[in-house]
Short mmCIF file of all heavy atoms in Angstrom, two decimals:
data_model
loop_
_atom_site.label_atom_id
_atom_site.label_comp_id
_atom_site.label_asym_id
_atom_site.label_seq_id
_atom_site.Cartn_x
_atom_site.Cartn_y
_atom_site.Cartn_z
N ARG A 81 -1.08 6.35 -5.54
CA ARG A 81 -1.75 7.56 -5.06
C ARG A 81 -1.39 7.82 -3.61
O ARG A 81 -1.09 6.89 -2.85
CB ARG A 81 -3.27 7.43 -5.21
CG ARG A 81 -3.86 6.42 -4.25
CD ARG A 81 -5.38 6.40 -4.28
NE ARG A 81 -5.88 5.49 -3.27
CZ ARG A 81 -6.14 5.83 -2.01
NH1 ARG A 81 -5.96 7.08 -1.63
NH2 ARG A 81 -6.56 4.95 -1.14
N THR A 83 -2.30 8.46 0.11
CA THR A 83 -3.46 8.16 0.96
C THR A 83 -3.84 9.34 1.85
O THR A 83 -4.94 9.38 2.39
CB THR A 83 -3.16 6.95 1.85
OG1 THR A 83 -2.00 7.21 2.65
CG2 THR A 83 -2.90 5.71 1.01
N VAL A 97 1.08 5.51 0.64
CA VAL A 97 0.73 5.31 -0.77
C VAL A 97 -0.13 4.06 -0.93
O VAL A 97 -0.08 3.14 -0.12
CB VAL A 97 1.99 5.18 -1.67
CG1 VAL A 97 2.79 6.46 -1.64
CG2 VAL A 97 2.85 4.01 -1.24
N ASP A 98 -0.95 4.07 -1.97
CA ASP A 98 -1.78 2.91 -2.26
C ASP A 98 -2.12 2.90 -3.74
O ASP A 98 -1.76 3.82 -4.48
CB ASP A 98 -3.06 2.93 -1.42
CG ASP A 98 -3.55 1.54 -1.07
OD1 ASP A 98 -3.24 0.60 -1.84
OD2 ASP A 98 -4.22 1.37 -0.04
N SER A 99 -2.84 1.89 -4.16
CA SER A 99 -3.15 1.71 -5.58
C SER A 99 -3.99 2.85 -6.13
O SER A 99 -4.93 3.33 -5.45
CB SER A 99 -3.89 0.38 -5.78
OG SER A 99 -4.41 0.29 -7.09
N LEU A 102 -7.97 2.65 -6.19
CA LEU A 102 -8.81 2.99 -5.06
C LEU A 102 -9.18 4.47 -5.10
O LEU A 102 -8.32 5.33 -5.27
CB LEU A 102 -8.10 2.67 -3.74
CG LEU A 102 -7.72 1.20 -3.55
CD1 LEU A 102 -6.98 1.01 -2.24
CD2 LEU A 102 -8.96 0.32 -3.59
N PHE A 110 -14.74 3.90 0.61
CA PHE A 110 -14.66 2.51 1.03
C PHE A 110 -15.91 2.17 1.83
O PHE A 110 -16.16 2.75 2.88
CB PHE A 110 -13.42 2.26 1.88
CG PHE A 110 -12.12 2.57 1.19
CD1 PHE A 110 -11.00 2.91 1.93
CD2 PHE A 110 -12.00 2.54 -0.20
CE1 PHE A 110 -9.79 3.21 1.31
CE2 PHE A 110 -10.81 2.83 -0.82
CZ PHE A 110 -9.71 3.16 -0.06
N SER A 124 -10.69 -17.46 -3.48
CA SER A 124 -9.47 -16.98 -4.17
C SER A 124 -9.44 -15.47 -4.33
O SER A 124 -8.50 -14.93 -4.91
CB SER A 124 -9.38 -17.63 -5.56
OG SER A 124 -10.56 -17.37 -6.31
N LEU A 125 -10.46 -14.77 -3.82
CA LEU A 125 -10.52 -13.32 -3.98
C LEU A 125 -9.43 -12.65 -3.15
O LEU A 125 -9.15 -13.06 -2.02
CB LEU A 125 -11.89 -12.80 -3.52
CG LEU A 125 -12.23 -11.35 -3.86
CD1 LEU A 125 -12.31 -11.16 -5.36
CD2 LEU A 125 -13.53 -10.92 -3.19
N ARG A 126 -8.78 -11.63 -3.72
CA ARG A 126 -7.71 -10.92 -3.05
C ARG A 126 -7.92 -9.40 -3.18
O ARG A 126 -8.69 -8.94 -4.01
CB ARG A 126 -6.34 -11.28 -3.64
CG ARG A 126 -5.99 -12.75 -3.51
CD ARG A 126 -5.72 -13.19 -2.08
NE ARG A 126 -5.35 -14.58 -2.00
CZ ARG A 126 -6.22 -15.58 -1.77
NH1 ARG A 126 -7.50 -15.30 -1.60
NH2 ARG A 126 -5.80 -16.82 -1.71
N ARG A 127 -7.20 -8.67 -2.35
CA ARG A 127 -7.28 -7.21 -2.37
C ARG A 127 -6.89 -6.67 -3.75
O ARG A 127 -5.99 -7.18 -4.39
CB ARG A 127 -6.35 -6.64 -1.29
CG ARG A 127 -6.41 -5.12 -1.17
CD ARG A 127 -5.62 -4.64 0.03
NE ARG A 127 -5.80 -3.21 0.23
CZ ARG A 127 -4.94 -2.28 -0.18
NH1 ARG A 127 -3.81 -2.64 -0.75
NH2 ARG A 127 -5.19 -1.01 0.03
N LEU A 128 -7.61 -5.63 -4.18
CA LEU A 128 -7.43 -4.92 -5.45
C LEU A 128 -7.97 -5.69 -6.65
O LEU A 128 -7.82 -5.24 -7.78
CB LEU A 128 -5.96 -4.52 -5.69
CG LEU A 128 -5.34 -3.61 -4.63
CD1 LEU A 128 -3.91 -3.26 -5.01
CD2 LEU A 128 -6.15 -2.33 -4.46
N ASP A 129 -8.59 -6.85 -6.42
CA ASP A 129 -9.32 -7.51 -7.50
C ASP A 129 -10.53 -6.66 -7.88
O ASP A 129 -11.09 -5.94 -7.05
CB ASP A 129 -9.80 -8.90 -7.07
CG ASP A 129 -8.68 -9.94 -7.07
OD1 ASP A 129 -7.67 -9.71 -7.76
OD2 ASP A 129 -8.84 -10.97 -6.40
N MET A 130 -10.93 -6.75 -9.14
CA MET A 130 -12.12 -6.05 -9.60
C MET A 130 -13.26 -7.06 -9.70
O MET A 130 -13.12 -8.08 -10.39
CB MET A 130 -11.86 -5.36 -10.94
CG MET A 130 -10.72 -4.35 -10.87
SD MET A 130 -10.48 -3.38 -12.38
CE MET A 130 -11.92 -2.32 -12.33
N VAL A 159 -13.68 -2.26 -7.31
CA VAL A 159 -12.41 -2.68 -6.73
C VAL A 159 -12.58 -3.11 -5.27
O VAL A 159 -13.24 -2.42 -4.48
CB VAL A 159 -11.38 -1.53 -6.79
CG1 VAL A 159 -10.04 -1.97 -6.18
CG2 VAL A 159 -11.17 -1.09 -8.23
N VAL A 160 -11.98 -4.25 -4.94
CA VAL A 160 -11.95 -4.72 -3.54
C VAL A 160 -10.87 -3.90 -2.82
O VAL A 160 -9.68 -4.08 -3.05
CB VAL A 160 -11.62 -6.22 -3.47
CG1 VAL A 160 -11.51 -6.65 -2.00
CG2 VAL A 160 -12.69 -7.03 -4.19
N ALA A 161 -11.32 -2.99 -1.97
CA ALA A 161 -10.37 -2.14 -1.24
C ALA A 161 -9.65 -2.94 -0.16
O ALA A 161 -8.43 -2.84 0.00
CB ALA A 161 -11.10 -0.96 -0.62
N PHE A 162 -10.41 -3.75 0.59
CA PHE A 162 -9.82 -4.57 1.64
C PHE A 162 -10.61 -5.86 1.76
O PHE A 162 -11.83 -5.87 1.64
CB PHE A 162 -9.83 -3.84 3.00
CG PHE A 162 -9.10 -2.53 2.99
CD1 PHE A 162 -9.79 -1.34 2.87
CD2 PHE A 162 -7.72 -2.50 3.11
CE1 PHE A 162 -9.11 -0.13 2.85
CE2 PHE A 162 -7.03 -1.30 3.08
CZ PHE A 162 -7.74 -0.12 2.96
N ILE A 163 -9.91 -6.96 1.98
CA ILE A 163 -10.54 -8.24 2.28
C ILE A 163 -9.79 -8.83 3.47
O ILE A 163 -8.60 -9.10 3.39
CB ILE A 163 -10.53 -9.18 1.05
CG1 ILE A 163 -11.19 -10.51 1.40
CG2 ILE A 163 -9.15 -9.37 0.45
CD1 ILE A 163 -11.49 -11.39 0.19
N LYS A 164 -10.50 -8.97 4.59
CA LYS A 164 -9.85 -9.32 5.84
C LYS A 164 -10.50 -10.55 6.47
O LYS A 164 -11.64 -10.91 6.15
CB LYS A 164 -9.89 -8.14 6.81
CG LYS A 164 -9.18 -6.90 6.30
CD LYS A 164 -9.18 -5.79 7.33
CE LYS A 164 -8.41 -4.57 6.85
NZ LYS A 164 -8.35 -3.49 7.86
N GLU A 170 -5.31 -8.78 6.58
CA GLU A 170 -5.58 -9.04 5.17
C GLU A 170 -5.49 -10.52 4.83
O GLU A 170 -4.60 -11.23 5.30
CB GLU A 170 -4.59 -8.26 4.31
CG GLU A 170 -4.84 -8.40 2.81
CD GLU A 170 -3.82 -7.67 1.97
OE1 GLU A 170 -3.02 -6.90 2.54
OE2 GLU A 170 -3.82 -7.85 0.73
N VAL A 171 -6.42 -10.97 4.01
CA VAL A 171 -6.38 -12.34 3.51
C VAL A 171 -5.36 -12.41 2.38
O VAL A 171 -5.47 -11.71 1.37
CB VAL A 171 -7.77 -12.78 2.99
CG1 VAL A 171 -7.67 -14.16 2.32
CG2 VAL A 171 -8.78 -12.82 4.12
N GLU A 177 1.39 -13.15 -1.72
CA GLU A 177 0.19 -12.38 -1.45
C GLU A 177 -0.93 -12.70 -2.43
O GLU A 177 -2.10 -12.72 -2.06
CB GLU A 177 0.51 -10.88 -1.49
CG GLU A 177 1.34 -10.40 -0.32
CD GLU A 177 1.44 -8.90 -0.28
OE1 GLU A 177 0.74 -8.24 -1.07
OE2 GLU A 177 2.22 -8.38 0.53
N LYS A 178 -0.58 -12.91 -3.68
CA LYS A 178 -1.60 -13.14 -4.72
C LYS A 178 -1.83 -14.62 -5.01
O LYS A 178 -2.52 -14.96 -5.97
CB LYS A 178 -1.17 -12.42 -6.01
CG LYS A 178 -1.24 -10.91 -5.91
CD LYS A 178 -2.67 -10.42 -5.69
CE LYS A 178 -2.76 -8.92 -5.68
NZ LYS A 178 -4.15 -8.44 -5.47
N ARG A 180 -3.63 -17.74 -5.19
CA ARG A 180 -5.08 -17.95 -5.13
C ARG A 180 -5.44 -19.41 -4.80
O ARG A 180 -6.59 -19.70 -4.49
CB ARG A 180 -5.73 -17.55 -6.46
CG ARG A 180 -5.51 -16.08 -6.78
CD ARG A 180 -6.26 -15.67 -8.04
NE ARG A 180 -5.94 -14.31 -8.43
CZ ARG A 180 -6.54 -13.21 -7.95
NH1 ARG A 180 -7.49 -13.35 -7.06
NH2 ARG A 180 -6.17 -12.02 -8.35
#
Side-chain angles (χ1 to χ4, degrees):
R81 69 174 184 89
T83 58
V97 297
D98 212 333
S99 170
L102 300 178
F110 300 154
S124 56
L125 192 64
R126 299 291 182 267
R127 184 172 186 262
L128 300 181
D129 283 339
M130 301 186 72
V159 180
V160 177
F162 302 99
I163 180 168
K164 299 184 178 182
E170 183 182 351
V171 174
E177 289 189 8
K178 290 297 183 179
R180 298 185 186 275

